[in-house]
Amino acid sequence: MKPKVATVWLGGCSGCHMSFLDMDERLIELADKIELVYSPIADVKHFPKDVDVALVEGAVSNVENEEMARIIRRSSKFVLSFGDCATTGNVTAMRNQFSPDEIMHRAYVELADGDPTIPSEFTTIAKLLPQAKPLHEIIKVDAFLHGCPPTPDQIWFAISELLAGRTPELPNVYLRYG
Amino acid sequence: MAILTLTINGEQVSGKDDESLLQIARQHDIHIPTLCHLDGLSDVGACRLCLVEIEGQSKLFPACTTKPQEGMVVHTDTERLKRHRRTIVELLASEGNHQCAVCVVNNHCELQDLAYEVGLQYVRFPYLYPKKELDATHKSFVLDRNRCVLCTRCVRVCHEVEGAHTWDIAGRGIDCTIIADMNQPWGTSPSCTSCGKCVRVCPTGALFEKGQTVAEMEKQRDFLKYIVTARTKREWVAEATEE
Ligand code: SF4
Ligand code: SF4
Ligand code: SF4
Ligand code: FES
């Protein structure tokens, strides 16, 4: 049976997923080797129960991210922090010097083009956590893929290692922040 | 001045009694990581990255401020030292606000280089996200305290080489911060000559030239050797010739 792989987009800009797609023709090879069971690029509503490898992009920034992080951990054998936001908080965590109220005011009032309204009941957008956190401060993470975004080569290397049954102890050639 | 013989990592080396262990190690191509040390400035032992083990002593010593002794047996690369160095880099990362992806010195940063050297896969301590002030009041330069690792290179170069003594450190412990003159905006500093030396010696993106964007700022730190040698030996060369 092919290993089940999930990719998840938490508090990030989707750049890590763009880099994933930049693996170009290697994606075809990958499609033969894995089953992509959950991803922003696949139309699947719920995170499946028995995932082998989850690549998680982005910091944990709102209550929905936090809940998702716990579901991912419960349902996956191997969780990989995918990129600098997941690993360090990075750009997503730059808001941590301000309170969620200040941020909401900035985004929905100060920068509003039309009718400035702060969403009062958090029905359409998830409530911000007091601070955005790297994934490993919320759940146990098994390995880290660095870079903003990680290069297609890094991603290919990590996935190839995992498919070969090895934990990607990413060698220092792939260790680079930013 | 006497020549002493000591052992570093099992290798017999010799050095002068007024040199530091760091200088002697480097003369013998033995690498010791550093951050606050910069050739041409006095040493203050602030960052502790250069810690070494000396046989017969239980505590660790910073190589940049420790003098050799005859017969000393030094280790620079033990598992214990590696653990400490990784911890130091983790503390530096968690006590500041570092977002390499949007930093002016991305890929030309001594803190990044150290993170790679110690193999920093992730930071085990919770990030503190401290609230830090950025000072963009100087006409040519910016001080971004979010990236400052408090190495005091700027303080020392401004005092020891430029002779202006604009910078100081205020506060204690984790609240330490770099201040200009009487804790005033840099642009209003009467002592600053706008020479730019502090900007060049800063190991991180804490001091940079205005108009630089992400990953553009590459610092030339060699200039210091020229100035210091010119002052002390009256020669315009990078390294003083031995008298
Ligand atoms: S100073 Fe160095 S470590 Fe800090 S954000 Fe800039 S590049 Fe990254
Ligand atoms: S520009 Fe020169 S004088 Fe001004 S603070 Fe920096 S080193 Fe000192
Ligand atoms: S501003 Fe730069 S040179 Fe000065 S203490 Fe901070 S990191 Fe060091
Ligand atoms: S280089 Fe020796 S303590 Fe910083």
Side-chain angles (χ1 to χ4, degrees), chain B residues 171-195:
Chain B
R172 292 202 163 266
I174 209 163
D175 297 319
C176 277
T177 177
I178 294 289
I179 56 163
D181 288 335
M182 306 307 288
N183 197 4
Q184 64 200 72
W186 190 2
T188 68
S189 157
S191 66
C192 174
T193 62
S194 302
C195 69

Side-chain angles (χ1 to χ4, degrees), chain A residues 97 136-137 146 172 177, chain B residues 97 116 120-121 123 131 146:
Chain A
Q97 299 196 19
H136 67 263
E137 288 190 24
H146 309 88
N172 275 9
Y177 291 93
Chain B
N97 294 302
Y116 304 151
L120 192 68
Q121 294 288 333
V123 172
K131 199 153 180 133
N146 290 294

Side-chain angles (χ1 to χ4, degrees), chain A residues 58-79:
Chain A
V60 179
S61 189
N62 60 34
V63 288
E64 190 191 4
N65 296 157
E66 188 175 15
E67 193 189 333
M68 190 64 193
R70 296 196 198 286
I71 294 173
I72 295 166
R73 184 67 271 182
R74 264 204 308 280
S75 322
S76 315
K77 288 200 190 78
F78 197 93
V79 176

Side-chain angles (χ1 to χ4, degrees), chain B residues 60-77:
Chain B
L60 303 171
F61 294 83
C64 65
T65 57
T66 304
K67 298 276 182 268
Q69 274 172 18
E70 183 62 36
M72 211 180 221
V73 181
V74 182
H75 299 277
T76 71
D77 208 22

Side-chain angles (χ1 to χ4, degrees), chain B residues 98-100 103 105-106 109 111-112 147 204-205:
Chain B
H98 295 274
Q99 296 90 15
C100 302
C103 180
V105 297
N106 190 13
C109 171
L111 183 57
Q112 266 183 334
R147 314 277 199 248
T204 69

Side-chain angles (χ1 to χ4, degrees), chain A residues 86-144:
Chain A
T87 304
T88 75
N90 198 32
V91 175
T92 312
M94 286 174 78
R95 65 123 162 141
N96 289 356
Q97 299 196 19
F98 307 93
S99 71
D101 282 348
E102 286 172 292
I103 291 156
M104 294 302 283
H105 194 267
R106 176 91 182 135
Y108 288 93
V109 178
E110 288 168 49
L111 296 175
D113 287 329
D115 172 31
T117 331
I118 293 182
S120 51
E121 296 296 319
F122 288 99
T123 46
T124 49
I125 58 162
K127 191 173 163 58
L128 289 178
L129 295 172
Q131 293 196 318
K133 298 279 186 187
L135 188 63
H136 67 263
E137 288 190 24
I138 307 294
I139 59 168
K140 183 178 165 288
V141 167
D142 302 300
F144 298 82

